[in-house]
Amino acid sequence: MGQRETHEPLQIAARRLAAARRVVVFTGAGVSKESGIATFRDGEDALWNKYDAMEMATIEGFLRDPSYVWSWYQYRFGLVDECEPNPAHAAIAELERLVPELVVVTQNIDGLHQRGGSSTVLELHGSIRRFKCLYGRHGGFTREDVERQEERPPRCPECGELMRPDVVWFGEMLPEDVLQESFRRARRCDAMLVVGTSGVVQPAALLPYVARESHACVIDVNPQRGESARAADVFLEGAAGEVVQRLVSAVREIVAQNGLPI
Ligand code: OAD
């Protein structure tokens, strides 16, 4: 790819972000890939190429073999603990300081945006750091609550039902308040930066289309031009760590020259 081709879309994207009053950063598994967390669908190590999503990410799969599914999540808790936020998480956190209003809407359950410094993060698919009882009647349990018990999976201290990670499994509804707020933010944003999602899981995948319908500029960062790029005004090809960092540096330069939008 020539200098001009790579340079121009990035500058266009940076100008749109620097001019925006309200920004939504919408992320998927690809933003955490460079932290060492496998994505779901791309590459040999992709989780849904190695494991059966119907076994690991449905209530029926969990009920068929609770200890097997629990041990898989336990392995993933450990993995996430060992991982650090990468330059993409850091750059997204910096972008928050360069625009008047920014929210991160993530499909990830790993908590790396928060650890990377982002202050407003809407977790559409829940969090691997929280637990609830089987049907979600009691929730907000922490890792310490889990570790206090010997049984695996542990039991809900309120009702004695099996405990599970507070993540959205296939066939389940997304948390209503988070979903509503994410769509509200998408409708009123001026720019949406989409990073590292295949754009195939609904209803999350609609967010860039909602933003676009509301005349926001949609920027997609991904090493592959896939489904998510269809909604984009500007496609930036490459890994999140490098591209988002360069993009935010360009926004920083523009803001340093022009100041924040009124
Ligand atoms: P996917 O695994 O479907 O897609 C990951 C995307 O990241 C792909 O488009 C890759 O091309 C891209 N990618 C890979 N490496 C990257 C890098 N270094 N930088 C930027 N992008 C990179 O993951 P999601 O779109 O997040 O749902 O998947 C959506 C949902 O499907 C997940 O939240 C999960 C899963 O089933 C639930 O668990 C409910």
Side-chain angles (χ1 to χ4, degrees):
M1 213 183 276
Q3 187 85 33
R4 210 178 133 75
E5 277 170 307
T6 53
H7 191 67
E8 254 187 21
L10 188 115
Q11 286 301 330
I12 293 167
R15 281 197 295 273
R16 294 301 297 263
L17 283 168
R21 281 200 54 77
R22 298 186 181 114
V23 174
V24 173
V25 180
F26 172 51
T27 65
V31 78
S32 294
K33 176 125 176 194
E34 290 154 83
S35 293
I37 301 177
T39 59
F40 293 93
R41 296 180 179 78
D42 70 300
E44 274 177 23
D45 63 344
L47 290 174
W48 297 155
N49 291 340
K50 281 169 60 179
Y51 301 95
D52 182 351
M54 292 303 117
E55 258 177 57
M56 301 305 189
T58 61
I59 201 146
E60 294 80 12
F62 182 57
L63 287 174
R64 260 195 302 277
D65 196 342
S67 29
Y68 176 57
V69 174
W70 181 268
S71 63
W72 188 64
Y73 279 95
Q74 208 157 21
Y75 154 75
R76 291 184 63 203
F77 310 147
L79 196 67
V80 168
D81 276 353
E82 282 166 23
C83 291
E84 294 296 329
N86 68 54
H89 297 108
I92 290 167
E94 182 188 349
L95 187 58
E96 183 180 315
R97 296 189 289 277
L98 297 173
V99 297
E101 191 185 304
L102 182 144
V103 62
V104 176
V105 178
T106 189
Q107 298 165 89
N108 300 345
I109 59 174
D110 55 31
L112 287 179
H113 282 298
Q114 292 91 329
R115 283 173 56 198
S118 289
S119 65
T120 314
V121 182
L122 299 173
E123 294 175 311
L124 276 173
H125 293 165
S127 167
I128 204 168
R129 300 176 306 169
R130 283 192 314 265
F131 303 86
K132 61 183 184 183
C133 65
L134 192 57
Y135 298 107
R137 279 191 280 268
H138 306 103
F141 300 114
T142 62
R143 196 79 69 80
E144 291 71 40
D145 295 323
V146 164
E147 267 145 29
R148 247 176 248 130
Q149 298 190 37
E150 276 177 21
E151 231 179 312
R152 291 290 177 265
R155 296 271 167 183
C156 172
E158 306 282 335
C159 64
E161 190 46 276
L162 287 171
M163 264 221 254
R164 53 170 278 185
D166 192 354
V167 298
V168 176
W169 283 337
F170 287 101
E172 295 183 330
M173 303 294 280
L174 276 61
E176 187 60 26
D177 50 344
V178 178
L179 186 65
Q180 292 296 341
E181 182 61 7
S182 302
F183 275 83
R184 191 181 75 85
R185 297 287 195 132
R187 273 194 301 273
R188 63 201 281 271
C189 73
D190 308 303
M192 178 178 279
L193 174 61
V194 181
V195 186
T197 180
S198 53
V200 296
V201 173
Q202 298 296 354
L206 282 174
L207 285 167
Y209 290 95
V210 169
R212 216 181 143 157
E213 254 177 49
S214 309
H215 309 290
C217 174
V218 178
I219 302 149
D220 188 46
V221 177
N222 202 303
Q224 291 174 45
R225 188 185 272 275
E227 193 57 35
S228 67
R230 285 171 175 267
D233 297 290
V234 185
F235 177 68
L236 302 177
E237 182 180 339
E242 194 223 321
V243 176
V244 181
Q245 223 181 12
R246 282 202 294 127
L247 179 62
V248 173
S249 296
V251 175
R252 191 194 310 124
E253 277 172 33
I254 297 168
V255 170
Q257 279 166 16
N258 303 349
L260 290 180
I262 301 157

